[in-house]
Amino acid sequence: MEEMCDKNGEASCYGNLATVFHSIGEYAKAEDYSQKALAICKDMGNEKGEATNYGNLGAVFQSLGEFAKAIKYHEKALALRKKIGDIKGEADDYGNLGTLFYSTGDYAKAQGYYELALSIRREISDKGGEATDQGNLGNVFRDLGEYSKACEYHNKALSICKEIRDIRGQCEWHFYLALDILAKGDTQEAFSNLYASIHENENLLGFLGNSDQFKIAFLEEHALSYQLLSKLFCDAGKTSDALHVVELGRARALRDLMSAQYSVEKEIPVSPQTRVSIEKVLERESSVCLYLSYFGQFLFLWVLKAYKPIVFRRIDVNDCLLDKAMERSVDEVLTSKTLIRKFKVLDQQTCEDRSWLPASNVSRWTSESCPEEDPTDKIQDLEVSLELYYRMLVTPVVKFLNEPEILIVPDRSLYEIPFAALKDENGEYLSERFRIRIVPSLMTLKLIQDSPAEYHSRSGALIVGDPDVGRVLYKGTVCNPIRLPSAAEEAELIGQLLGAEPLLGQQATKQAVVQRINSVGLVHFAAHGNAETGEIVLAPPRPTTGTPQEEDYLLTMTDISQIRLRAKLVVLSCCHSARGKIKAEGVVGIARAFLGSGARSVLVALWAIDDEATLQFMSRFYEHLVRGESASESLHQAMKWMRENGFSNVRQWAPFTLIGDDVTLDFEQ
């Protein structure tokens, strides 16, 4: 039977997997599966399949920005289509080449290829393809400054999509029409098209079901509709409307995950005019909320407090910079500043590094990554960056922050900022005056607030320290992570405070953790954390045959998503546990997975953490928590103790961030 296997079917499966991985941004896997499919098609003489996979590879390299490779693969696909007479495929390749040249700014070639594609689409009555080519031609003319022509083509594309009921196409072309119309100066008509685009986005989200990754990818693709409409509302002085639009698009996929966990019937708004209940959320909080968003060079800051008028400020980030040589966007300022990278640099003499990647990548996370920098320069740069971010994000609204706690709702790259360490002109840190807590959106906080009282466990603790990982395989590389004796000491100390027996060394297996994690009110990990995603490295099962694979020891986001957590608090005392992919959705990493699976709050680390400092920090944090103080207050007091007792370096006291609700735990139970 093996000799009679369906090779063409195998190639088709590889090709489908490539398409899926490409759609969720996993380009290495998409390339690998496309190459496998291509090799089989070549062996079988399947030229149509060969052309398809050349096209898929072209799309992957286009997404990676490797345009020369992408052009080569699309041209190979086109040659094969012509040879075998695949007219529709030929049109697809012309369209793909048009998009490639558009990406490189060669508008003449882009227009030529799009027109060739459009001619074939009309000939074979391919309405969907015709709409795409009409719309792409509209984009070319908009970039050439010919806005009337752009509107003409985009309207044609939109008309076809309505005719064939292509909702995704309507989302896209309504948005691009809004850009054309704005360029012509008609703001009101732009509003109408953005409303329509978001309306269709909301409808499509409902069809995506429970596919978290597809929702994240979809929202990333269409996030600009929400962001641009919010900006236009701000420009028009309708700042409350702007806030509601931003909130509508914020952490949407996470909201659906949490709704499913709490068995809440989803209420999908059908337009930005459908108000979410921001006011109701804040009525149950004693804190003041600092809500952040940005678009282009502008930061948008809202200060929200129950029963008080909304305070709004719009800040041109360039006004906060000392260097006025060139105008920059908010993203450019955040990425040009080396603050976060510098916080990742560890002094290897004083720290057992709880970050973990294969040996080939270790230099990215150690002092080897910037050996040319003088330590004094690093400290000075950090100070400058912390003061800059304070000027950008706090100074404009500081007089309205008049509660002991600030609830911060960040936006995209702003998640990487250590808000506790932001410093004013007098040298005072933000956390000296305020408790600080992060929430992904106000609606995710509302879901936590509304969860049934009996949902979260009131007793039981799972404490994990220094898993004995041993030799394991990670992405094909054999690794042997170092042991973490300070992590074991930390777990034992917390176990004594709570009266719970920790899982240590070889006991701290993935299997043991998964079996117990859904029945306890508190979860604490002191272990290696993956430096890219924050995923947690545990011990593999023993005895075992062969070298353990990732699924044997790595606690992943997927693993967590399949568990219904009851924990009030999850503490991730692992390096980089706040990390993940920065998306319009927020940070897609292990912390989000815990929240999405039912955890009420998560304490995470923004960077690689000092072992001695972390041991002291956690000791103070749990001492306050055991006394019945809230997680936010315990975090605040631990930071204060650290600054006053020999751990004043920002790297030592400021990495930890509380995300979610401000919980208290009854350890007597």
Side-chain angles (χ1 to χ4, degrees):
M1 290 293 290
E2 289 183 5
E3 293 177 1
M4 298 174 62
C5 62
D6 180 2
K7 282 291 185 181
N8 283 323
E10 185 181 348
S12 179
C13 289
Y14 281 136
N16 291 337
L17 283 167
T19 301
V20 169
F21 283 116
H22 186 204
S23 71
I24 61 176
E26 295 199 26
Y27 303 125
K29 287 183 178 179
E31 180 189 358
D32 181 48
Y33 282 117
S34 291
Q35 291 285 10
K36 287 178 178 177
L38 178 62
I40 293 172
C41 290
K42 283 182 174 180
D43 287 344
M44 299 293 293
N46 180 354
E47 290 183 317
K48 184 171 183 178
E50 191 179 340
T52 297
N53 287 294
Y54 277 134
N56 289 342
L57 284 164
V60 169
F61 285 110
Q62 182 176 349
S63 296
L64 291 168
E66 297 185 37
F67 298 122
K69 283 186 178 180
I71 289 169
K72 179 187 75 172
Y73 280 117
H74 281 308
E75 286 177 342
K76 283 185 175 182
L78 178 60
L80 278 170
R81 308 277 198 196
K82 288 181 175 179
K83 177 183 174 183
I84 63 177
D86 180 359
I87 300 297
K88 184 181 183 305
E90 186 180 341
D92 290 340
D93 292 323
Y94 281 135
N96 290 334
L97 284 164
T99 300
L100 266 169
F101 284 109
Y102 175 77
S103 300
T104 63
D106 191 339
Y107 299 125
K109 281 188 177 179
Q111 181 182 345
Y113 279 118
Y114 285 144
E115 287 175 345
L116 285 169
L118 181 59
S119 175
I120 295 174
R121 307 285 194 196
R122 286 170 170 163
E123 182 183 333
I124 63 175
S125 299
D126 177 4
K127 288 288 189 179
E130 183 182 348
T132 299
D133 295 326
Q134 296 275 19
N136 286 337
L137 280 164
N139 290 343
V140 169
F141 285 112
R142 187 189 65 251
D143 283 9
L144 290 170
E146 299 185 39
Y147 303 122
S148 294
K149 274 192 174 181
C151 283
E152 178 186 338
Y153 279 106
H154 284 142
N155 269 313
K156 287 178 181 177
L158 181 60
S159 177
I160 294 170
C161 288
K162 288 179 177 178
E163 178 187 339
I164 63 176
R165 298 184 180 180
D166 176 2
I167 298 176
R168 190 171 190 137
Q170 290 179 61
C171 293
E172 186 171 7
W173 304 126
H174 270 302
F175 173 72
Y176 284 117
L177 258 175
L179 296 184
D180 303 336
I181 292 163
L182 274 177
K184 293 174 69 176
D186 187 347
T187 305
Q188 192 56 47
E189 188 63 25
F191 269 114
S192 298
N193 277 281
L194 287 171
Y195 274 127
S197 177
I198 291 174
H199 177 88
E200 300 303 344
N201 286 345
E202 297 295 330
N203 287 338
L204 271 177
L205 279 170
F207 290 123
L208 291 177
N210 296 322
S211 175
D212 186 47
Q213 286 189 309
F214 281 118
K215 283 184 180 178
I216 292 169
F218 176 83
L219 289 161
E220 185 72 8
E221 184 180 348
H222 296 280
L224 278 173
S225 295
Y226 298 89
Q227 294 164 11
L228 179 56
L229 181 56
S230 178
K231 178 189 178 294
L232 292 182
F233 273 131
C234 289
D235 292 345
K238 298 180 178 181
T239 56
S240 178
D241 293 323
L243 174 63
H244 282 86
V245 170
V246 169
E247 174 66 16
L248 182 63
R250 190 69 61 87
R252 282 299 303 279
L254 175 59
R255 190 194 311 178
D256 288 350
L257 284 178
M258 294 171 69
S259 295
Q261 288 299 102
Y262 295 133
S263 301
V264 175
E265 185 178 345
K266 287 184 286 188
E267 297 178 6
I268 303 292
V270 295
S271 84
Q273 293 164 304
T274 306
R275 294 300 186 95
V276 291
S277 306
I278 288 175
E279 293 81 4
K280 296 292 184 184
V281 180
L282 294 173
E283 286 174 8
R284 287 185 272 181
E285 292 287 334
S286 58
S287 54
V288 60
C289 176
L290 175 58
Y291 201 112
L292 305 172
S293 183
Y294 62 89
F295 188 94
Q297 71 197 64
F298 295 105
L299 278 162
F300 305 107
L301 283 64
W302 291 266
V303 177
L304 313 171
K305 189 176 174 184
Y307 313 112
K308 297 289 184 181
I310 294 174
V311 174
F312 172 77
R313 294 290 183 271
R314 177 170 61 178
I315 309 299
D316 185 335
V317 71
N318 294 282
D319 294 340
C320 303
L321 301 176
L322 300 178
D323 178 10
K324 309 286 187 182
M326 58 182 292
E327 196 169 84
R328 299 183 219 175
S329 69
V330 175
D331 267 324
E332 286 169 339
V333 170
L334 293 173
T335 55
S336 68
K337 289 294 166 187
T338 55
L339 174 65
I340 301 303
R341 180 174 65 84
K342 288 175 184 292
F343 274 126
K344 294 171 189 166
V345 178
L346 292 170
D347 181 351
Q348 297 301 301
Q349 294 179 339
T350 62
C351 180
E352 58 178 33
D353 187 0
R354 297 189 192 179
S355 58
W356 179 73
L357 278 177
S360 60
N361 290 327
V362 164
S363 65
R364 297 176 61 193
W365 308 102
T366 70
S367 54
E368 296 172 21
S369 52
C370 41
E372 76 286 353
E373 296 184 78
D374 180 85
T376 305
D377 292 338
K378 295 177 194 173
I379 293 170
Q380 290 174 346
D381 286 350
L382 290 176
E383 297 295 315
V384 169
S385 296
L386 293 171
E387 291 172 6
L388 168 63
Y389 294 146
Y390 189 98
R391 288 199 303 274
M392 288 165 48
L393 302 168
V394 181
T395 298
V397 294
V398 68
K399 67 181 180 181
F400 302 103
L401 304 177
N402 49 12
E403 293 292 340
E405 183 183 57
I406 306 174
L407 188 65
I408 300 176
V409 187
D411 185 15
R412 291 165 285 167
S413 294
L414 296 178
Y415 270 95
E416 293 193 307
I417 290 178
F419 288 96
L422 301 192
K423 188 191 293 188
D424 68 14
E425 64 277 8
N426 298 318
E428 184 180 34
Y429 293 112
L430 189 64
S431 55
E432 292 184 68
R433 293 180 57 192
F434 304 100
R435 303 193 309 272
I436 297 169
R437 182 159 46 104
I438 303 295
V439 292
S441 72
L442 292 177
M443 288 301 99
T444 56
L445 180 59
K446 182 178 186 296
L447 283 167
I448 295 172
Q449 292 174 343
D450 291 345
S451 62
E454 67 278 5
Y455 182 90
H456 292 94
S457 297
R458 299 185 180 184
S459 62
L462 171 62
I463 304 164
V464 179
D466 184 27
D468 184 0
V469 184
R471 286 170 56 84
V472 293
L473 276 174
Y474 180 74
K475 295 188 176 179
T477 302
V478 176
C479 305
N480 193 357
I482 61 171
R483 296 296 299 274
L484 303 170
S486 289
E489 186 180 353
E490 176 185 315
E492 288 173 334
L493 183 148
I494 293 166
Q496 290 171 5
L497 282 171
L498 306 187
E501 190 70 29
L503 291 177
L504 303 173
Q506 293 190 8
Q507 293 179 313
T509 64
K510 178 177 176 179
Q511 182 182 17
V513 167
V514 170
Q515 284 176 346
R516 291 179 53 184
I517 198 170
N518 65 345
S519 62
V520 297
L522 171 72
V523 179
H524 182 102
F525 288 100
H528 283 295
N530 184 289
E532 297 289 349
T533 61
E535 294 177 322
I536 300 164
V537 184
L538 298 170
R542 288 182 174 84
T544 184
T545 57
T547 307
Q549 308 284 321
E550 288 110 306
E551 61 267 22
D552 297 320
Y553 66 88
L554 192 64
L555 188 66
T556 66
M557 291 181 278
T558 301
D559 294 325
I560 297 300
S561 70
Q562 294 170 354
I563 299 169
R564 192 164 189 158
L565 292 177
R566 303 287 182 172
K568 279 190 168 184
L569 176 64
V570 175
V571 177
L572 302 179
S573 184
C574 315
C575 290
H576 314 291
S577 52
R579 289 184 61 77
K581 293 180 179 178
I582 303 291
K583 300 285 187 182
E585 167 74 7
V587 178
V588 181
I590 196 71
R592 176 183 180 274
F594 277 107
L595 287 170
S597 294
R600 201 170 180 96
S601 59
V602 186
L603 186 68
V604 293
L606 285 163
W607 55 78
I609 49 182
D610 181 310
D611 56 331
E612 174 60 23
T614 302
L615 180 61
Q616 294 298 327
F617 182 95
M618 287 298 168
S619 299
R620 306 289 85 76
F621 175 77
Y622 277 97
E623 283 174 4
H624 287 277
L625 204 63
V626 168
R627 291 175 195 162
E629 296 175 26
S630 73
S632 179
E633 179 64 22
S634 298
L635 174 63
H636 181 70
Q637 293 299 331
M639 287 183 174
K640 179 182 178 183
W641 186 94
M642 295 287 285
R643 288 192 299 266
E644 295 173 352
N645 288 274
F647 298 94
S648 58
N649 188 311
V650 169
R651 286 190 182 90
Q652 297 174 310
W653 64 263
F656 288 102
T657 299
L658 183 66
I659 306 175
D661 196 16
D662 186 16
V663 298
T664 56
L665 292 99
D666 184 356
F667 291 102
E668 291 184 2
Q669 294 191 34

